[in-house]
Amino acid sequence: LTGLYDDLDGLADMLERLSAAWAESLPGEPCPVIEHELIDDRDWEREWMDNFHPMQFGERLWICPSWRDVPDPDAVNVMLDPGLAFGTGTHPTTALCLRWLDGIDMAGKTVVDFGCGSGILALAALKLGAERVVGVDIDPQALQATKENARRNGVEDRLDVYLPQDQPELEADVVMANILSGPLLELQSVITNYCKSKGLLVLSGILAEQVSKIEDAYSQDIVLEPSAIDGEWARVSGSKR
């Protein structure tokens, strides 16, 4: 766990409270060493932008920061500015889903994207040929980022976004949910019900050790493919029975 704070005032009190919380939660287990350092202030947004480069996923798909040149104009290029929402392609869960999408024939497909974040998966699906995408997220800022990125990519007329309480009823050809294992388990019936018979489903935001629990929860409705692992993260996918 890493925390970034404005200053180190009250550090001794913070360390004491952390040690007490550890002792209460895990009695008998020695508290790990808590490291701290002073970091010079800088233009963090500019530094992050300077280190966000175009990335290729699979054979056709590129995710390109909106402020950088496109490496391959003939590729399927998604121009992305994540804003305050999750999803740049640098995280293994997103990368796993993007590589999966690149290997799918998306032409004419209807897609649901649960936890759309920056819209990165929704935009990739549209750029790969999907006819329509419905994005759902609990964060209004994510919906705003998704809509802005859709306009940037010229696909806003094929993308609709909703908060969960407003999400429409439909059966989609492809359902994507890159969230976390807890919500994936809690929303299992909602997610699978959005997928039409023989439709495709991809789930991520899953730690490798959580795969079996996710597979058990979804196997009754989904014919599962072999799960993919990237470091400590995993992707589960398959087709609806």
Side-chain angles (χ1 to χ4, degrees):
L1 180 64
T2 301
L4 184 65
Y5 299 88
D6 288 338
D7 55 51
L8 291 179
D9 288 346
L11 176 63
D13 180 58
M14 182 190 299
L15 297 179
E16 185 177 329
R17 286 187 286 115
L18 284 171
S19 298
W22 180 277
E24 182 179 349
S25 301
L26 296 168
E29 290 284 338
C31 183
V33 175
I34 303 171
E35 300 176 348
H36 58 87
E37 62 178 312
L38 183 64
I39 301 174
D40 293 333
D41 197 14
R42 63 196 77 167
D43 186 342
W44 295 106
E45 182 176 2
R46 171 52 56 187
E47 181 158 307
W48 175 82
M49 291 174 69
D50 289 344
N51 287 284
F52 184 17
H53 301 282
M55 295 171 288
Q56 185 176 10
F57 299 92
E59 297 182 3
R60 302 171 290 166
L61 183 62
W62 282 81
I63 304 298
C64 304
S66 58
W67 55 90
R68 291 194 180 275
D69 293 333
V70 173
D72 181 2
D74 296 325
V76 178
N77 292 298
V78 175
M79 307 306 297
L80 188 76
D81 183 352
L84 297 177
F86 176 82
T88 60
T90 57
H91 196 277
T93 60
T94 311
L96 284 164
C97 291
L98 289 169
R99 289 195 288 268
W100 181 86
L101 275 173
D102 181 73
I104 300 299
D105 179 8
M106 296 299 296
K109 298 289 194 296
T110 299
V111 182
V112 172
D113 181 9
F114 274 92
C116 57
S118 67
I120 185 170
L121 299 182
L123 298 175
L126 288 167
K127 285 296 195 80
L128 288 166
E131 182 176 324
R132 179 192 176 205
V133 174
V134 170
V136 180
D137 205 289
I138 61 173
D139 185 357
Q141 289 180 326
L143 302 186
Q144 180 182 347
T146 294
K147 288 189 288 187
E148 289 176 355
N149 282 319
R151 283 194 291 271
R152 185 173 286 112
N153 286 273
V155 296
E156 66 271 24
D157 59 329
R158 294 186 283 140
L159 174 67
D160 300 301
V161 295
Y162 300 91
L163 293 168
Q165 61 267 29
D166 301 322
Q167 63 194 38
E169 294 184 7
L170 76 151
E171 285 192 324
D173 301 297
V174 179
V175 177
M176 309 180 292
N178 181 20
I179 41 180
L180 293 169
S181 64
L184 287 174
L185 294 171
E186 182 181 345
L187 297 171
Q188 183 270 334
S189 61
V190 176
I191 293 171
T192 53
N193 285 342
Y194 265 111
C195 192
K196 65 172 56 174
S197 179
K198 308 302 181 184
L200 301 177
L201 183 83
V202 61
L203 311 170
S204 197
I206 306 163
L207 291 169
E209 62 262 28
Q210 298 167 338
V211 166
S212 60
K213 186 178 292 186
I214 298 296
E215 289 180 335
D216 290 344
Y218 281 82
S219 60
Q220 183 173 345
D221 300 302
I222 305 297
V223 179
L224 296 169
E225 304 167 344
S227 297
I229 306 294
D230 185 346
E232 62 179 346
W233 296 97
R235 179 192 72 217
V236 173
S237 59
S239 58
K240 190 170 182 181
R241 299 182 187 277

